[in-house]
Structures are given as C-alpha cells and as structure tokens.
Amino acid sequence: MLLPSTVLLSIFLAPAVNALWPLPQQLTTGSTPLRLSNGFDIKFKGINNPPQDLKDAVSRTEKFLSNDKLQALVADRGASSASQIQRAKQLTSLVLSLDSTGGHHKRAADATANTNSLGNKIKSISDEAVAPIGQRSEGYTLTIPADGSAAVLSANSTLGLFRGLTTFSQLWYDWNGNTYTLQAPINIADYPKYPYRGFMLDTARNYFPVDDIKRTLDAMSWVKINTLHWHVVDSQSFPLVIPGFESISQKGAYNSAAVYTPQNVKDIVSYAAARGIDVLPEIDTPGHTSIISKAFPQHIACPEAAPWSNYANEPPSGQLRLASPDTASFTAKLLSSAASLFPGNTFSTGGDEINQNCYADDDKTQKDLKSQGKTFEQALDTFTQTTHAALHKAGKVAVVWEEMALDHPVTLRNDTIVMVWISSENAAAVAAKGYRIVHAPSDYFYLDCGGGGWVGANTLGNSWCDPFKTWQRAYSFDPVANLTASQKDLVLGGQQLLWTEQSSPSNLDSIVWPRAAASAEVFWSGPGGDSAKALPRLHDLAYRYNQRGVRAIALQPQWCALRPGACDLTA
C-alpha cells in the first residue's frame, strides 16, 4: 500500500509522531506545540451509561498519559523544546462520540439499556471483540486542534473508540512534568487493512502463569493486535482443565499449579475481550496428543515410543487413534467441552505433523483400518468430519494448519480457516483451494527461530527454522504475494508465533517485544513500509513498553535510538 505524501512527510520529518505504531491509514500534522492541562480528562458525548469496559479503557488511557513520562527520543530528550512547551496552549479534554451511522447497533430493548443519544444500543468492547472475523468495526477518526479546544475521537463502535484511545495515548511525550506534542493540529482517519491480526502463544512446552498472559494481552492491545491464538496444550503437557475431562490435566499438567481452570480461562478471555482481543484456542489433533495417554491410554497410538524421531517431530511421541470410532467420539466430546469455555466463534483443531509410522506400528489402528476397509487417509477424513461437526454444532468455525488442506484429502467445510506455517510460498496453493488464509509462515513470523537446537545430544545443531527472524524480516512480508486478484480477499491477516521449547516467563517479553509489533503494522496499515523509516517509531514503542512494565528489548544502542538514521549502513 502506498501512503499519501502528506502522511510520509508528517511522519518521517517530525520526531514527535514517531510514537505511532501501527501507522494510521491517514495522518496529517502541524507544527504547533500543545500540552495537556493539569485537569485534562476524557469525556463522553451523547453516550448514555457507557459500557463498563469502555469506561475502564478511558481510565487506563488517563493513567498512561499521567504515568508514561516518556521523553522524546532525540539527543537532548526534548530540552531544546522546553520554552515552546511552557508557552504552549493547553488541551483540556478529549471527547468520545459514537457516530449515528453505526448500523451494527440494534435498537435498545428498554429505556435502561446502554444507549447513544439516538437511542441505539451500544455494544461493549468485549462484545465487539468476539464478533465473527470480518464483522468487527475497528475504525475511528481523531482530531486534535492546535488552539486548545477539545480533541474529538469518533467511531461507530466502542471497539473503534478503544483503538482510537490506543493511538491517542501514543502521541505524547513528557518534559519536566509537561505532557506535550510539538505537532498540533493532528488529524487521523484510521482502520485496519486486515481483520485478523494475531499473536500465538504456546503454553504447553512451558507453562505461563495467568499474569504473564495478561501482560502479553496488554502489550498486544497497544499495537492493535486483536487475536490471541492460544496453543494451550500439546504432547508435553495438558494444562487446560476441561469440564468432564479433568483427569487429563490432573495427570498431564506439569504440576497441580501449572493449570488453567475454567475460572482462569474466563478471567483471561474477559481480560482479552475488554482490550479488543478475541481468544482462538487450539487443541491439536490427532497429532501432538501423547499426554492424553496418561489419563486415557486406550485412545493414544505409540505413546512415548522410542526412538521418538521415528514417530513424532519432537518428543514424546503419541497420537490419537484416528481410526477408532470410540476415539473420534471421545475427541469430539473433548473439543465440544473445551469450546464451551471460549465465547469467540473460531476454534483450532490443528492437524499438523501427523506421523504415519506411529499408526503403521499400532496394532489397534491397523485392526480398525482393516475391519472398516479404510486407508489411513480415509480414516483421517472420517475423524476430521466427526470432530469438526462437533465444533460446528457448538457454533464454531474450524481452524487448521496447512497440511489439512494441502497434504491430506480430508473434507473441510468451505468456511474453514487455514493457517499457512511451513512456508509462505504455500499460501497460493491454499488459496487455489478457496480457503480463507491466516499467514503464520515460519520463514517470516516464527519468534523462536535462531536460538539453536533444543534437543539434546546435538552439539552443533541449529534450530530447524534458522536464522533468527528479525523484525525487519517480518515487516517486509507481503500478504498477497503470488496470489491472483480474485484470491486476495481470502487473506484474513496474519500473526507472529512463539513456540516455547526455549521460552518461559523469564524471557517472554524479550523474545516477543517489540518484534511482534512488526506483523501488527503489516496487517493493520498494510504492507510495503520502509523498515529504515519505521525504526524510529519502533524504538519509541519499545521505550514506551518499558515505561508500562513490558520488558521489550533494545533494538540498537541508545545513542542510535536518539539519533534516527545515524546508525544506518548508509549514514
């Protein structure tokens, strides 16, 4: 996407707007200093009884404005602007309003319902966040005059207002207790290029406490990421407590404290939704399920068989006995119960890295295949149809990894969402089959690559997806590369991913941030940005994250961060 020249000029010639990430679709700025008054507040106009999560979002924004205290990333940290700041006019308020054209709002059922001034029912941020993909309204307009008159943030949804509050909180710096910008007036009209902007966290290889997940959700919301893809269980551990199947987590979690109870899940899902984030859970099937054998051994083929490399992509081996009708029914019930914990309308059944050696050496599976007169692929098709039918009955859209669309002739519903992970080049083949796509390619978006091989007895081993995936690499991604014009609409968006064989709470922030912000901008603003020109804004974001308690890593020496462009190879 080519940005208007006014946008490029206002961003790249004006350090004070280097804070904005992701880049708005339309942005114009001036050169007048403006500061927030001591009594600055955020008000509602024409919104009767605002939803509580919107009021909470306003409160958080006001705290950011008071507590960020981020000095401008220039050599003198803003000292040379002190006199301008002191003389600047003061902004006393930001007014939030909902457009009367918000057609997705239904008429209020009674006089006590939350309404805007026209009587239209107002949905909460949380309700808007879990609407089906493509039905969420996230756009907003923001106007900040230079004369000190009220700034106005307008949207046709509370979710849009929340996105605008996020942008507003990024605009300001601190000098000697004054919260200011040097670039009023500021006018922004903004909306996402793609409806799905995600981050995947694996909590099975290593366990992450609820507080770490919440901090990650906060950080995601600050760059308008709207989906947590929660790879919650795997072969190594099963921390999710599923009603009716509690014995799996009792026997399959690392310990009794390393679990996510239904109340934990409700807490995480509610916390996410209030920050404009939907939770997409994943229970991978039929592979990556060895741990289920601890509670239900009858359903798992080749549990912990050795050598593991013959039977799985990583230890321990073990897969659901897909040819068994009893196992298919068990899995369908398991997924249905798990799905009831999550209000969003998507649920991933995985489907990656199925190892046929495991089934070839499993007597029970071979007997089932023979008695049914089925091949492995036919059994996989039946298994998939059974499990996906259960999810569909529960009101969920199935999400799968790319193998289910490309490597196995299974029957998938037309609305199935396919995550492309093995290679970015495989997106075209998925699109050719007509499925909607979420980009998650290991050659661009895997945050765990480049850390060295994690399996033992492999002294000189590298990670399978070397090299390290830099933020610049992710930022260069083109979501519609090699797609035809008619296929481009199949792209829902994309995400960066953290598989956690070598990650834990101790390095969560540093391995994710600010790198994961790269894809957040690609799928909000659109591709084609210049990483050299984006770097000052990403520095600013990382510094602001640290001010807010997220330990984002440094991208360069501070000397470079304070002197945009001075450390470029061409400088």
Side-chain angles (χ1 to χ4, degrees):
M1 181 187 70
L2 295 177
L3 296 169
S5 59
T6 55
V7 174
L8 295 173
L9 286 173
S10 60
I11 287 177
F12 302 131
L13 298 182
V17 182
N18 282 344
L20 294 182
W21 195 287
L23 194 67
Q25 299 294 345
Q26 298 177 36
L27 166 68
T28 60
T29 63
S31 56
T32 302
L34 183 69
R35 59 191 171 105
L36 300 186
S37 70
N38 290 334
F40 173 84
D41 68 349
I42 301 176
K43 304 176 179 179
F44 297 102
K45 180 180 179 181
I47 304 175
N48 301 320
N49 300 316
Q52 185 60 47
D53 56 11
L54 180 57
K55 292 192 289 186
D56 291 343
V58 166
S59 295
R60 291 196 303 274
T61 302
E62 291 175 335
K63 288 180 180 178
F64 292 147
L65 295 172
S66 297
N67 299 334
D68 277 0
K69 298 192 181 304
L70 179 65
Q71 293 182 322
L73 296 189
V74 294
D76 67 1
R77 306 309 300 270
S80 58
S81 302
S83 60
Q84 296 181 67
I85 296 168
Q86 288 294 337
R87 296 194 305 268
K89 292 185 177 181
Q90 297 184 43
L91 180 65
T92 60
S93 65
L94 170 66
V95 176
L96 274 56
S97 68
L98 285 170
D99 288 344
S100 61
T101 55
H104 59 289
H105 299 312
K106 297 178 181 178
R107 297 295 298 183
D110 59 72
T112 62
N114 291 350
T115 61
N116 64 15
S117 59
L118 297 182
N120 294 331
K121 183 174 170 55
I122 299 173
K123 291 184 179 180
S124 65
I125 297 170
S126 300
D127 286 341
E128 297 274 3
V130 300
I133 298 171
Q135 296 182 28
R136 304 166 192 165
S137 179
E138 300 182 86
Y140 65 93
T141 59
L142 175 62
T143 301
I144 304 175
D147 61 3
S149 57
V152 177
L153 170 60
S154 181
N156 68 1
S157 71
T158 55
L159 182 58
L161 291 177
F162 177 67
R163 300 298 183 216
L165 285 170
T166 300
T167 297
F168 187 82
S169 73
Q170 293 179 335
L171 286 167
W172 308 91
Y173 293 96
D174 179 85
W175 179 255
N176 204 24
N178 291 294
T179 303
Y180 73 95
T181 176
L182 298 178
Q183 291 192 293
I186 299 171
N187 294 283
I188 294 172
D190 200 13
Y191 56 89
K193 181 76 171 178
Y194 293 95
Y196 182 106
R197 305 172 306 282
F199 168 69
M200 191 219 76
L201 179 64
D202 160 23
T203 60
R205 275 46 183 251
N206 285 302
Y207 177 78
F208 293 81
V210 172
D211 284 349
D212 290 293
I213 295 175
K214 285 183 174 181
R215 187 178 67 258
T216 301
L217 289 165
D218 282 329
M220 291 165 59
S221 74
W222 300 336
V223 288
K224 303 181 176 68
I225 292 175
N226 68 357
T227 307
L228 172 66
H229 174 190
W230 191 1
H231 186 89
V232 62
V233 301
D234 211 289
S235 282
Q236 292 81 7
S237 78
F238 202 105
L240 181 64
V241 179
I242 299 177
F245 298 85
E246 291 87 353
S247 61
I248 305 179
S249 54
Q250 289 169 357
K251 297 180 180 181
Y254 285 128
N255 58 67
S256 60
V259 297
Y260 305 106
T261 66
Q263 184 56 47
N264 292 148
V265 172
K266 183 178 180 181
D267 187 20
I268 290 168
V269 167
S270 298
Y271 194 91
R275 286 152 182 79
I277 297 170
D278 189 18
V279 178
L280 162 61
E282 179 184 350
I283 295 181
D284 207 349
T285 63
H288 292 271
T289 48
S290 175
I291 198 68
I292 294 176
S293 68
K294 302 301 181 184
F296 295 95
Q298 69 272 29
H299 293 306
I300 300 298
C302 67
E304 300 185 20
W308 63 263
S309 57
N310 285 354
Y311 300 103
N313 279 42
E314 63 180 64
S317 59
Q319 302 179 151
L320 287 162
R321 284 181 163 136
L322 53 76
S324 165
D326 287 344
T327 299
S329 176
F330 163 84
T331 307
K333 293 175 182 176
L334 177 74
L335 294 174
S336 294
S337 184
S340 70
L341 300 173
F342 299 89
N345 83 322
T346 53
F347 195 105
S348 175
T349 60
D352 63 314
E353 298 181 335
I354 303 171
N355 187 295
Q356 294 194 43
N357 291 338
C358 174
Y359 295 123
D361 288 355
D362 182 60
D363 291 341
K364 175 69 166 63
T365 298
Q366 291 305 307
K367 288 180 181 178
D368 285 337
L369 289 174
K370 185 176 181 180
S371 66
Q372 297 166 30
K374 289 182 178 179
T375 64
F376 157 78
E377 295 290 359
Q378 289 171 332
L380 177 61
D381 184 35
T382 300
F383 177 88
T384 302
Q385 290 193 57
T386 299
T387 55
H388 283 198
L391 286 178
H392 181 62
K393 185 177 180 181
K396 308 297 184 184
V397 172
V399 181
V400 297
W401 296 110
E402 66 179 71
E403 291 99 316
M404 298 300 282
L406 300 182
D407 296 347
H408 304 291
V410 297
T411 304
L412 299 174
R413 288 173 54 90
N414 292 337
D415 63 355
T416 303
I417 297 170
V418 178
M419 289 189 168
V420 176
W421 72 275
I422 296 174
S423 170
S424 57
E425 295 181 358
N426 293 344
V430 174
K433 291 179 177 289
Y435 295 115
R436 293 181 295 171
I437 294 169
V438 168
H439 288 293
S442 58
D443 49 333
Y444 282 86
F445 292 153
Y446 271 32
L447 296 168
D448 55 304
C449 302
W454 61 269
V455 295
N458 189 29
T459 305
L460 300 179
N462 294 320
S463 67
W464 73 271
C465 56
D466 272 357
F468 180 90
K469 300 301 181 285
T470 65
W471 76 264
Q472 293 96 327
R473 171 73 172 169
Y475 195 70
S476 71
F477 185 74
D478 182 359
V480 296
N482 303 316
L483 300 183
T484 66
S486 61
Q487 293 171 344
K488 291 178 181 179
D489 288 342
L490 294 171
V491 177
L492 295 176
Q495 64 184 21
Q496 287 182 262
L497 309 89
L498 180 59
W499 301 103
T500 60
E501 289 89 350
Q502 293 179 297
S503 294
S504 68
S506 64
N507 70 337
L508 174 60
D509 290 4
S510 61
I511 201 168
V512 175
W513 305 111
R515 276 196 296 163
S519 62
E521 177 155 300
V522 168
F523 294 108
W524 177 280
S525 309
D530 184 327
S531 62
K533 293 175 180 176
L535 179 57
R537 290 187 295 115
L538 195 56
H539 273 307
D540 203 298
L541 181 74
Y543 275 72
R544 195 173 295 272
Y545 270 34
N546 276 277
Q547 293 294 98
R548 297 181 182 182
V550 174
R551 299 177 66 85
I553 62 168
L555 299 174
Q556 290 180 314
Q558 184 166 325
W559 189 92
C560 305
L562 301 183
R563 295 164 178 82
C567 296
D568 291 357
L569 280 173
T570 55

